[in-house]
Amino acid sequence: EGATVARGAGSVGGILVIWTLGGLLSLCGAFGYAELAAALPRAGGDAVYLSRAYGPWAGFLFGWIQILIVRPGDIAVMAFAFATYARAGLGAAAPDEPALAAGAVVALTAVNLVGVRSGKWTQNVLTVVKVLGLLAVITAAIATPAGPVVSAATSAPFPLRIALILVLFTFGGWNEMAYVAGEVRDYRRNLARALIVGTTAV
């Protein structure tokens, strides 16, 4: 989260540098995936590239690791992040965090089971809410007068490398476009545009 990254960076300049560095690293990845997706325009993304580079066993292993470890882990992290913030916003009357996290996973799973259309609209609505939330934070930061300076001694130290991991996690997801490379019209132009413009916008 932002406050943890700020502690790891240690200063306003450090915050700007670490977020810029995370963005540039992610953009390098997006450039690479744009090239790969244009050269191998097939659905599957990483599994396709690994199979081509190392053989079918690598793509097969990657797929099972995604199903059993990576995707469930991502879902759990996001669900508990949602639950933490929801509980803070709702106050003492809110259910405990595991119940909120499980409820979020069940609700979104149900929406996607209904069909692609409902999943698409839900994702669009949640994206709009996130963008509006970010704009609200930016507006509040600009409109609020500066408060007293807090001494760095009052904050516990936090490793810079962990802060960078959190930044990269925030930028994460740019590679997902490659999973549908085989279904994109005019893929040579549109895949590169989606990967690069999307990552730059974030």
Side-chain angles (χ1 to χ4, degrees), residues 71-97:
R71 296 298 174 178
D74 284 346
I75 291 169
V77 168
M78 296 307 296
F80 272 98
F82 161 77
T84 300
Y85 287 107
R87 188 166 169 78
L90 296 173
D96 59 3
E97 288 179 11

Side-chain angles (χ1 to χ4, degrees), residues 55-123:
W57 67 270
F60 179 82
L61 184 61
F62 173 83
W64 277 104
I65 290 172
Q66 288 282 307
I67 290 171
L68 297 176
I69 300 170
V70 177
R71 296 298 174 178
D74 284 346
I75 291 169
V77 168
M78 296 307 296
F80 272 98
F82 161 77
T84 300
Y85 287 107
R87 188 166 169 78
L90 296 173
D96 59 3
E97 288 179 11
L100 283 169
V105 172
V106 169
L108 291 175
T109 300
V111 166
N112 283 284
L113 286 174
V114 170
V116 174
R117 189 180 298 274
S118 63
K120 178 191 78 170
W121 282 107
T122 302
Q123 186 165 330

